[in-house]
Amino acid sequence: MNHHLRGPQLPAPRGPLSAAVTACLRGDGPLPRPADAEGADPYGDDLHLALYVCYELHYRGFAGVRPQLEWDPELLRVRGALEHRFLSALRADTPVHPSLDDALGALLVEPVEGTGVTHFLRDEAELWHLREYAAQRSLYHLKEADPHAWVLPRLWGRAKAAMAAVEYDEFGGGRAERVHARLFADLMTDLGLDTAYGRYLDAARAEMLAVVNLMSLFGLHRELRGALVGHFAEVEITSSPGSRRLAEAMRRTGAGPAAEFFYDEHVEADAVHEQVVRHDVIGGLLDEEPELAGDIAFGIDATEYLEDRLARRLLADWRAGRSSLRAPLESHMAHTS
C-alpha cells in the first residue's frame, strides 16, 4: 500500500528546528531535542514551520511520510515543546480585555477610517496584491473550518448543536460544490493560482503560519476549548464587513466571478453565523462552564494579536512596493485585469 505517497511535499526548512523535524519525517535524521525550542523565536519562521509540519500530520499529511508518525511519542514531545514556547509568548504578549463582554464588544466596532489589509485591497490593490493575499490565506482556506471541527467532541448541549450547525454551513450544507474550501479553490483558479493543497507553504511568511497554527493549537487541546470558541467568534464576527471589502476588491480588479462569489458568500453567511456564535455557541458554553469566560476572551484577543502582526507585515511590504511572499508566485495567469 502506497497511501503515504499522497499529499503535498515536505517544505524546505527555515532553520534547525524545522530542518530536524522534516528530516525525521523523511526518515533520514533525528528529531530536535525538546529543549531546543526554548531559545527559538516564538513568532519566527523556524519554530512555526516546524509546528505547522507537526500539525499537518493531523490533517492530510505529506507525501512520503508514514501516517503512523501522527502519534509518534517522541514527535509529540517535540511538538509539545514548540507549542509551549508559542503559547507562553502569546499569553505574555497578547493585550487581553478585562472581560469577555469587553472583548466581544470591541469586535463589533468598525473604525470610521479603516486602514487594515481589507481596506487596502478594496481601495488600492492591484491584481498581484490579491493573488499574494489568496496564496497566503490558502494555507487555511483550503482546509477552512477543519481546525474548528476538533472542538465539537469537547462541547455538549446548545453549544455543540450551534457549533455543528455553523460547521455544516462551512462544509457546504451537504453539497460538495459549496464546501467553502472548494469555493476558495475556485477563487484561486480565477486568480491564476495553483489550487493544490499546501502548494504555497514555502512562500508563506511566518506571520501567516502563526495564524494557522493558532487554530490547530486551540483545536487539538481540550483544555483550550474555550480559546478555540473565542477564536471562532473573532473570525465569524469580523468576517462579514471584511468579506464585503474583499468582494469589492475582486470586482474592482476584475478578478473573476468565483473570486467575487467566495467573499459575497461570506458576507451573507457570516452575518448569520455571528449571531449563532455569540448567542448559542458562546452562550451555551458559558451556561455549562462559566469559568471558561476568560479563555474565550483570550482566544479572541490572541487571534486579533496575530492577525494584526500579519496585517502589519503585509501592508509594510505592499506599501514599499515589494512582495509579501518568501518566494515569487508562478507567472501563469488565467487572465489579467
Side-chain angles (χ1 to χ4, degrees), residues 97-173:
H97 284 87
S99 73
L100 176 56
D101 286 343
D102 290 328
L104 288 169
L107 294 180
L108 298 173
V109 177
E110 277 261 306
V112 176
E113 297 292 335
T115 58
V117 168
T118 59
H119 296 86
F120 173 88
L121 293 173
R122 179 193 64 188
D123 299 334
E124 304 178 48
E126 299 175 26
L127 203 57
W128 70 270
H129 295 110
L130 296 173
R131 296 184 76 230
E132 288 197 354
Y133 183 76
Q136 298 255 25
R137 288 287 183 184
S138 70
L139 269 64
Y140 168 61
H141 281 303
L142 289 180
K143 61 181 174 203
E144 184 169 341
D146 289 351
H148 302 115
W150 296 112
V151 83
L152 284 169
R154 303 150 198 272
L155 303 175
W156 60 92
R158 185 156 60 103
K160 188 187 194 88
M163 188 75 187
V166 175
E167 288 282 273
Y168 182 69
D169 285 348
E170 300 284 347
F171 294 136

Side-chain angles (χ1 to χ4, degrees), residues 1-7 67:
M1 298 292 289
N2 292 319
H3 295 312
H4 67 282
L5 298 179
R6 300 173 182 173

